[in-house]
Amino acid sequence: MSDVLEYQSLLWDGLWTTVVASFFGILLTIVVAFVVGMMRLSKTRWLRAPSYVFVEFFRGTSILVQLFWVVYALPFLGVRFTDNLVAGIVVLGLNEGAYASEVVRGAIASRPRGQTEAGIALGLTPGQRMRRILIPQSIPVMLPSFGNVAVDLLKATPLLYFITVTEFTADGLAIRTETQETTAVMLSLLVVYFVLSMILALLTRLLENRFALERRTHPLLRPLVGSAS
């Protein structure tokens, strides 16, 4: 184990890369999820069709192939990222965003009809009903699944090694090759990824509690919840 500690600065660098990729990947996932999820709910076919193709493409193809395509194939078509880490974050965000968009679509579509009817009775436009009633009511339902997507994205970051991004796992494997301390290195990787996953789970639980409290106490939502029941 002492041999591994000699390379702790390298591990910290790799861990920072993993955290950065996960953080920005999750942010992009959230944006993609809401944009594509709302497109899937649109009554306009030219919005629904491309969103359907997007979701099925990213869910139906390997994320590793997507990474190779973006980094090594798209440059031949004139599309090039200045940094492979940025390219990796984009692929992770788009891939996980495709899954999360179904969470958004399903959560909003499952809202009781009474909430929409209450919004119509209040004279709200479709956009106002979505923004003020349906989305706020759906967020607590989305959060557990969003937490799972975030953890899944974190566990996908080692794939960035295949596009020459030296993140935490890549640095750990390099140290294992150098020191032959397989058990110590793999145990370190296991513990760190577990801790990061627990942090994401804790943040998700805190957000669930916060949004559940707001849902119970917000004066504009109480009559809508009552009308839905």
Side-chain angles (χ1 to χ4, degrees), residues 10-145:
L10 182 62
L11 285 175
W12 281 113
D13 289 341
L15 179 59
W16 174 249
T17 301
T18 294
V19 170
V20 168
S22 299
F23 177 77
F24 287 104
I26 291 170
L27 289 183
L28 181 58
T29 294
I30 294 172
V31 173
V32 171
F34 275 93
V35 171
V36 177
M38 299 301 293
M39 291 173 65
R40 293 293 303 274
L41 291 169
S42 175
K43 296 181 180 180
T44 306
R45 181 175 298 179
W46 64 269
L47 286 176
R48 291 199 313 271
S51 65
Y52 175 81
V53 172
F54 172 87
V55 170
E56 294 305 320
F57 173 79
F58 278 97
R59 292 198 308 179
T61 57
S62 167
I63 188 172
L64 186 58
V65 175
Q66 295 164 17
L67 286 167
F68 274 100
W69 178 266
V70 168
V71 174
Y72 299 113
L74 284 187
F76 289 101
L77 302 177
V79 180
R80 184 185 302 272
F81 288 91
T82 57
D83 190 288
N84 284 357
L85 176 59
V86 175
I89 291 172
V90 169
V91 172
L92 290 175
L94 293 177
N95 185 278
E96 297 297 338
Y99 288 93
S101 68
E102 288 297 280
V103 175
V104 173
R105 183 192 63 80
I108 295 176
S110 66
R111 293 304 85 204
R113 176 65 182 173
Q115 296 184 6
T116 300
E117 294 174 350
I120 295 173
L122 292 172
L124 300 179
T125 65
Q128 289 173 328
R129 294 198 299 269
M130 184 67 70
R131 187 173 64 254
R132 297 183 181 181
I133 300 175
L134 296 178
I135 291 179
Q137 290 284 295
S138 301
I139 287 178
V141 180
M142 299 177 192
L143 283 173
S145 297

Side-chain angles (χ1 to χ4, degrees), residues 13 18 110 112 139 148 155 163 165 170 194 197 201 203-204 222:
D13 289 341
T18 294
S110 66
I139 287 178
N148 292 336
K155 294 189 295 184
I163 56 171
V165 175
F194 178 77
S197 297
L203 290 174
T204 303
R222 280 200 294 267

Side-chain angles (χ1 to χ4, degrees), residues 1 3-12 168-182 184-185 189:
M1 187 66 179
D3 292 337
V4 176
L5 292 177
E6 295 179 4
Y7 295 89
Q8 59 179 312
S9 60
L10 182 62
L11 285 175
W12 281 113
F168 187 60
T169 299
D171 285 341
L173 294 177
I175 294 171
R176 171 189 170 277
T177 301
E178 186 69 24
T179 64
Q180 300 302 313
E181 293 282 354
T182 301
V185 171
L189 295 177

